[in-house]
Amino acid sequence: MSLTPAFLDELRARTLLSGLIAKTTKLQKAGREFRACCPFHNEKTPSFYVNDDKGFYHCFGCGAHGDAIRWMTDQRGLPFIDAVKELVQAAGMEMPEQDRRGAEKAERAKGLHEAMEDAAKFFVERLHGIEGAEARAVIKKRGINDETAKTFGLGYSPDSRGKLKEALKSYGDPMLVEAGLLISVEKKDPYDRFRGRLMIPIRDVRGRAIAFGGRIIGDGEPKYLNSPETPLFDKGRTLYNLDRAQAAARKSGRIIAVEGYMDVIALAQAGFGEAVAPLGTAMTEHQLERLWRIADVPLLCFDGDSAGQKAALRAAHRALPMLQPGRSLAFVTLADGLDPDDLVRTKGPQAFEALLKAPQPLVDLLWQSEVAAEPLDTPEQRAGLKRRLNELADGIGDPNVKHEYVAEFRERIDAHFGRGPRAFEARGPRGSSAPARGKRDKRGNWQPPEAMPGATMRSMGAAGLDPILARAVLAGLIRHPAEIARHMEVLGSLRGASGALGRLFEAVVDVALEDRQLDQGKVLTILARSGFDQMASELLRADTLPFSFTRPKAEEKKAREDLNEAIAVMVARPAVDAALAEATAAMLERFDDESFARQTALLRQRQELETRLANLMLADDENLED
């Protein structure tokens, strides 16, 4: 089958986009366009627009954007070819002709799908019959209610070698064997594969049954039995519950991968509909790609035992070659012996939600794993740690991400073994005693000064500086004056900020120029000479600000790291906000792919900055609770 660009353009032209979207989303007329509350994220004020003339929809809140085909794949969760087929039928068009072999294959697949659906119905009927009593007891014991059991199509396979075969005899044994429902043994009649098991249908993204998982009732091995690979079922490319999880994930903004069917079902019943699971194998590259199509940083939550943690580490290693800027993994670690099903049943959904809000980044999992791999008492053992970390970084395909991992691992090694950055030794130009206003990079190497920010950047800082964050940063710099010199250029760009805060930033920079061997007492003395003694004292009393670096008894290393991050966010936010406002205005004037891509990138940057700041505040709240 050949889907040419001309054919797809004709399909889009024949499809009224607003009519398609209005089937599931309430639209309001807004001039020549339609608007609605975005179906891809929760919002109260409409920011989702549909333009029939241009054939695009766009959300100014989350950046969702696309045409009729994209709507079918992203909102309906259909594979591309199925989306095209459905639109073609609605538009009264015909699909390009298939070759004979392709048509035969499609017809055979149709028969297999029908056989699987009839098998699923058979298992549900047996669950609610006399012979399904034990299976119903298992479901009740697991805390699964009737509505959830119905939603997931739970059933029961009788402990018989021929009941399913007899019920589906019209399909013939060869097709039932091909579907994985019967087992074929040489010189023997085929017989039922699943016997005496709680049956869990596995569905594709269109919600069609393509395989089954069967859990043993009572004792026996294996505890779980999956369908074999079939023309419909490729377990390395399939994620359990993906058909339902996609819509829930779009609303929650996250996707959660757990180990097993029952974890997914229990989480869905507890309100976490965005959970999926691999099918008895380690997470594959194809499954990771499916997760990344839904969220930039999927959450992997495997069981708290050693097997679960090994599975998490295997997934981490498998993901490394596919990492990209902004695309990673995060891990939710449960107490040893617990799985998500146990947690939500014993401690409630709020306990699981708390874990989801504080996941472990991929880099932390890799670092902790390698540090714990063997003792680090000798130079040879420490060299082994460096080698292992370098090998992990070398496995990353994207050069920018690889560079960041190399730098991060090097910095952690230095910190772990007590090798702090070298003393501040900045020098001015040759023949001059004036100090250079450069800075050190993450590895402690001196970098030449960058060009001073221009008037545009200074004006953005003056207009958009967050006063609460600025006060917190100033309090942190006074408490940790060694950080002033490290951020000289950045702080210098804030001299144009209006009001008392701007003047105090300027005074803090002047303090560092006057004396580079500073402690808190010296800073306060110098600021007092400039008339800032009262303001500085008030900042030091700002212990209610939710950051580690504003408090007198915070752990020094943690406070410095948090202060550095806060400064980076404080300086970046005004520039990103100004650029985003400009890009959004451009989108309203010129609705094209280039302006959309720029606005989407800036939306992502702003969200990343907000997340970074929230992480600083959350982390500090946790320290306070401890």
Side-chain angles (χ1 to χ4, degrees), residues 141-456:
K141 183 178 180 181
R142 299 295 294 250
I144 300 171
N145 60 40
D146 292 343
E147 182 180 353
T148 300
K150 181 179 179 181
T151 298
F152 283 89
L154 302 188
Y156 174 69
S157 58
D159 192 5
S160 163
R161 294 171 64 91
K163 286 191 176 182
L164 177 66
K165 176 182 176 180
E166 176 63 24
L168 303 184
K169 62 183 179 181
S170 62
Y171 289 99
D173 289 355
M175 180 170 285
L176 297 180
V177 170
E178 188 176 16
L181 296 171
L182 301 184
I183 294 177
S184 179
V185 180
E186 189 176 357
K187 297 181 180 179
K188 291 185 179 180
D189 289 338
Y191 57 92
D192 292 0
R193 178 179 298 275
F194 298 100
R195 304 179 301 280
R197 291 179 177 270
L198 175 66
M199 298 301 293
I200 305 165
I202 300 166
R203 302 186 179 276
D204 63 13
V205 291
R206 296 181 63 181
R208 300 175 300 184
I210 57 174
F212 291 95
R215 187 188 188 281
I216 196 72
I217 303 295
D219 298 328
E221 292 293 336
K223 183 177 180 181
Y224 282 96
L225 177 65
N226 284 337
S227 292
E229 301 269 332
T230 72
L232 302 182
F233 178 50
D234 182 340
K235 63 182 178 182
R237 293 175 179 267
T238 305
L239 287 165
Y240 176 66
N241 196 46
L242 185 62
D243 56 314
R244 297 184 187 87
Q246 288 186 121
R250 280 191 291 270
K251 288 191 174 294
S252 67
R254 66 191 178 197
I255 187 75
I256 309 165
V258 295
E259 279 198 62
Y261 312 111
M262 302 309 292
D263 292 324
V264 169
I265 294 170
L267 288 176
Q269 182 171 286
F272 301 95
E274 64 271 31
V276 299
L279 299 159
T281 61
M283 189 73 72
T284 67
E285 290 86 353
H286 295 293
Q287 289 167 333
L288 288 171
E289 285 289 356
R290 294 306 295 265
L291 295 175
W292 276 320
R293 286 172 60 183
I294 299 171
D296 288 338
V297 186
L299 301 175
L300 271 57
C301 179
F302 294 157
D303 295 352
D305 56 17
S306 60
Q309 294 313 296
K310 287 179 181 177
L313 190 59
R314 283 196 300 271
H317 287 182
R318 188 158 285 176
L320 287 176
M322 299 184 288
L323 297 182
Q324 295 178 9
R327 189 170 90 166
S328 186
L329 297 176
F331 298 84
V332 176
T333 303
L334 304 177
D336 189 12
L338 278 182
D339 57 31
D341 181 11
D342 298 326
L343 184 63
V344 295
R345 282 193 291 116
T346 58
K347 297 186 178 181
Q350 66 278 4
F352 189 65
E353 182 66 44
L355 292 176
L356 296 179
K357 288 184 176 179
Q360 182 183 35
L362 172 61
V363 66
D364 287 356
L365 179 74
L366 295 171
W367 167 260
Q368 291 179 8
S369 171
E370 296 304 331
V371 168
E374 63 179 43
L376 301 173
D377 302 323
T378 68
E380 293 81 4
Q381 291 168 338
R382 292 192 287 273
L385 171 64
K386 292 180 182 179
R387 176 181 55 78
R388 295 194 303 274
L389 291 172
N390 284 333
E391 288 174 351
L392 288 175
D394 284 341
I396 298 173
D398 185 276
N400 292 320
V401 178
K402 179 188 294 187
H403 172 79
E404 291 298 325
Y405 266 77
V406 170
E408 179 73 17
F409 286 149
R410 186 177 298 150
E411 184 175 340
R412 291 187 182 218
I413 288 171
D414 287 344
H416 190 74
F417 296 116
R419 302 165 188 163
R422 293 175 294 176
F424 190 92
E425 297 175 351
R427 297 178 182 176
R430 182 173 295 180
S432 169
S433 60
R437 295 176 63 185
K439 58 182 178 181
R440 295 189 181 279
D441 62 19
K442 289 185 176 181
R443 298 180 293 280
N445 299 318
W446 181 253
Q447 299 294 316
E450 300 175 0
M452 287 296 291
T456 302

Side-chain angles (χ1 to χ4, degrees), residues 437-577:
R437 295 176 63 185
K439 58 182 178 181
R440 295 189 181 279
D441 62 19
K442 289 185 176 181
R443 298 180 293 280
N445 299 318
W446 181 253
Q447 299 294 316
E450 300 175 0
M452 287 296 291
T456 302
M457 181 65 190
R458 288 196 297 271
S459 67
M460 286 190 291
L465 202 63
D466 183 332
I468 296 177
L469 182 56
R471 285 173 59 85
V473 166
L474 282 166
L477 291 171
I478 294 171
R479 288 201 183 279
H480 307 280
E483 301 303 302
I484 298 174
R486 292 184 59 191
H487 298 283
M488 186 78 74
E489 292 298 324
V490 171
L491 298 174
S493 71
L494 301 176
R495 289 183 172 202
S498 60
L501 287 177
R503 294 194 299 275
L504 186 53
F505 269 119
E506 185 168 356
V508 165
V509 173
D510 292 339
V511 162
L513 292 174
E514 182 174 336
D515 186 349
R516 296 203 176 235
Q517 302 298 323
L518 290 171
D519 58 26
Q520 182 177 315
K522 284 185 179 180
V523 172
L524 292 174
T525 299
I526 298 172
L527 289 177
R529 291 204 305 265
S530 302
F532 290 101
D533 52 337
Q534 182 177 352
M535 185 180 295
S537 298
E538 288 176 355
L539 287 172
L540 290 179
R541 290 198 296 271
D543 294 347
T544 56
L545 291 170
F547 302 99
S548 61
F549 50 82
T550 63
R551 298 198 168 90
K553 297 182 180 180
E555 194 272 317
E556 181 72 13
K557 181 175 180 294
K558 176 73 167 65
R560 286 172 180 260
E561 290 175 350
D562 286 357
L563 177 57
N564 292 339
E565 176 75 347
I567 291 172
V569 173
M570 179 185 69
V571 174
R573 275 172 60 174
V576 171
D577 287 344

